[in-house]
Every structure is written in structure tokens, then in C-alpha cells.
Amino acid sequence: MSDSSELLKTAVIVEDDPDIRHLLVEVLESAGFSTVSVGNGIDGVRAVIAYQPLITTLDVNMPGIDGFEAARRIRQQSDTYIIMLTGLEEEADVVLGLGAGADEYVVKPFRPRELRARIEALLRRPRGGESQPSTAPRQDSVGPSFPAARPDVATPPPAAPSPAPSAAVIVPSSQGPEPRTAPAPAAAPRTELVPRPAAGDLTPTGGSWVAHRDLQLDPDSRLVRVGGEELDLTRTEFDLLATLMESKRRVRSKADLTLVLRGESYVTSYFVGEADKRAIEAHMTNLRRKLGDNPANPRYIETVRGVGYRLTSELLAAP
């Protein structure tokens, strides 16, 4: 067997949010991938052409070209498995993404273990064009081999599809930047979310509105308002906000919030990994964006560096 079968699997991450990009690096490297990260669609297309990855994750709302156009350009030149990761959850967006060439469409915020399971499921699906297993597959180290190679620097296969534009230099993944050493998969933390505790457990006031400055939350109806305007939060974002509003100025660590989302807030023996903590950071980023809260000058939620999160002081609420 050739040495190419032992090559490290490669993944390209196209994501403009550094927190989510860091989380994706952890998820993919824990699954045995060497990762290449970029922050916009144009660089993402170039990275896919250069490294011919097995997996490519694509954000949609990015500088330059959006994820839909990036997927179309990538699909013209590569058979990489494309996973779209986006906050757009309308049916029209999903249809557009899959029609542009995506193999999976995952709505943010995502759960790291679920994303990894979806990636592993993708790798069990052979590509329709795979009819000659012996034709130098790119990624022999994973279940189904990588699709038939595009025009290669050394020996162009006779039945290869249309070559990429001459200006693009296709570099096999083994010649890319020094791959990071993929850490051995850690003990798999439990990340499956369970229904949150009853609303009465969140506030001692029996379901009345809880307020912080002009932010209001009703745990019974699961409504949130800022300045009188109703916000559309996901279940996870609502539960995080409800927990922080219940705790007021008491700091809640990322591990603590992870257990709250699992419904295990009174259990201390469960493992909380770095990927879980990064997921909390990603959820908090989305929550703050919807609240219109600036982390550098927070009005509602402040970060206690190295510890966790808490509500801002009520004393600063007066104009």
C-alpha cells in the first residue's frame, strides 16, 4: 500500500467569526483532521483548490462573496464534502445552500458532538464518481476514498473532469503548511441537550417577568423583550439568558452553564471539555449580537475574564 494512504485528513474551515472558527478547529482536529482556516469566501475557494480537502465547512454571511457563491465555485473544481454552517434557518436558505452544492446544512449554534457525528456520517457516503478505488485516492485513511483527483501536478488522470484555471496551482494536502498534530480524541463529553428545568425553577417569582435595565424575560411564556421589542432567541440562547438573569451578579462559569444546558446543574461529576466551553462562547456571541450588546462596553452581560459571565451592575443603568 502506498504512503498516501497514511496522509493526515485535511479540512478547510471558511468562517469569519474567530470564536466559531476556533471551535471548528477543535472539533475537526479531535476527529483526526489537519485544518486550514480562512476568514472569507474568496480565500476559502483558493484554499480548497490548493489543498483539496476531504471536508470543507462554509459560513454564509462573510466578507467578499457569500457562502452560496463560494459553494458554487468550489463545486466546479472540487468534490470536497461541503458542510454549510450558518444562522440562516429559513427553508429557502436551506434549499439554496443544498442547491449550490452543499452536502450538509447545519444551523448555528451547533452542538460539537452532533457536528462530528454528521461529518462521520458524510464520510460513510461514497461519492457517485468513485468507480476506480486504485486511482490514487487523496484520503485513503477515511472510509470511502476521496473523489477521483483533479488534474495533478505529477500524473494527470486520463478521465479527470475539466481542469481548474491555469492560474490556480493545486497543491496536494501533503505539501501544504505543516499539519497540526491531531490530538487523540478525548473522553467524549456528553453534549446532548435535554429539556431545561421547569420555568418555576428559574425564578422564585412564579413566572413573572424578570427585568434587567430595559431587558425583560418571562420564563413561563419564554418571551424576551429589549426596549419593549420582542426578540427571537433559540432555546439555548433563552436558557443561557434566563440562567444569568436568575443569577444576577453571581458569576456563572462556562462549565456551570454547560451543565445547566444539559439539565445537570446539580451534578458535579460529569466531564466538561474544552469543546463544550467553546460552544458556550459561540452561543454567548450569538446572544449578545441579538441583544445588541457590545462585549467591550456591555449593557447587559459582562465577561469576567478567566471565570465566566454575569449581568452588568444595575447601578449603571441610570442615564
Side-chain angles (χ1 to χ4, degrees):
M1 181 175 291
S2 66
D3 293 339
S4 63
S5 64
E6 302 301 325
L7 290 177
L8 194 63
K9 298 173 293 183
T10 304
V12 168
I13 298 168
V14 189
E15 170 62 58
D16 64 338
D17 187 316
D19 290 333
I20 298 178
R21 191 162 62 235
H22 185 84
L23 174 60
L24 288 171
V25 168
E26 288 197 350
V27 171
L28 287 163
E29 290 190 350
S30 70
F33 285 85
S34 172
T35 59
V36 178
S37 300
V38 297
N40 62 74
I42 294 175
D43 287 343
V45 175
R46 291 172 179 165
V48 170
I49 295 172
Y51 299 107
Q52 290 294 300
L54 184 58
I55 292 286
T56 299
T57 68
L58 268 181
D59 188 16
V60 171
N61 294 321
M62 296 182 293
I65 61 175
D66 63 19
F68 299 129
E69 177 60 23
R72 281 188 284 267
R73 296 188 187 184
I74 289 171
R75 189 52 76 220
Q76 290 173 359
Q77 306 180 66
S78 173
D79 283 337
T80 179
Y81 291 101
I82 297 176
I83 302 177
M84 279 198 165
L85 292 163
T86 173
L88 303 178
E89 56 184 352
E90 296 296 327
E91 179 184 7
D93 297 317
V94 178
V95 172
L96 184 58
L98 296 175
D103 297 282
E104 271 283 1
Y105 192 101
V106 179
V107 177
K108 297 175 184 175
F110 58 89
R111 292 173 287 191
R113 286 189 66 198
E114 178 182 335
L115 176 62
R116 181 168 172 176
R118 288 180 179 273
I119 291 172
E120 291 170 351
L122 268 183
L123 299 182
R124 291 194 295 269
R125 305 177 195 169
R127 283 298 195 192
E130 286 183 346
S131 57
Q132 300 178 3
S134 60
T135 312
R138 297 247 177 180
Q139 306 284 352
D140 286 347
S141 56
V142 173
S145 62
F146 193 72
R150 298 298 180 190
D152 198 272
V153 175
T155 56
S162 302
S166 56
V169 179
I170 300 181
V171 183
S173 58
S174 60
Q175 298 177 12
E178 287 295 325
R180 307 177 190 182
T181 302
R190 294 177 53 193
T191 57
E192 297 177 359
L193 302 187
V194 297
R196 72 175 185 85
D201 294 337
L202 289 175
T203 58
T205 54
S208 61
W209 286 86
V210 182
H212 176 63
R213 301 190 175 186
D214 61 343
L215 171 63
Q216 297 176 307
L217 177 147
D218 182 3
D220 285 335
S221 62
R222 297 183 70 83
L223 293 177
V224 175
R225 294 173 182 165
V226 174
E229 295 187 7
E230 191 170 315
L231 294 185
D232 182 19
L233 301 183
T234 66
R235 183 183 70 172
T236 298
E237 292 162 357
F238 181 93
D239 290 346
L240 285 175
L241 181 59
T243 300
L244 292 175
M245 292 189 72
E246 174 198 10
S247 304
K248 298 187 182 298
R249 294 286 291 164
R250 180 162 62 93
V251 179
R252 302 302 292 261
S253 69
K254 296 171 188 175
D256 184 21
L257 293 172
T258 298
L259 294 177
V260 169
L261 294 182
R262 294 181 189 170
E264 300 161 356
S265 53
Y266 298 103
V267 180
T268 59
S269 60
Y270 286 116
F271 174 77
V272 176
E274 285 301 314
D276 296 300
K277 296 176 184 179
R278 297 299 179 190
I280 292 294
E281 292 175 2
H283 291 310
M284 290 300 299
T285 296
N286 291 331
L287 175 59
R288 280 170 158 162
R289 186 180 68 249
K290 292 182 180 180
L291 293 175
D293 207 10
N294 181 4
N297 185 25
R299 178 171 177 77
Y300 307 113
I301 301 172
E302 65 183 17
T303 301
V304 180
R305 197 169 187 82
V307 184
Y309 306 94
R310 68 182 177 188
L311 292 186
T312 53
S313 173
E314 288 281 3
L315 297 179
L316 301 178

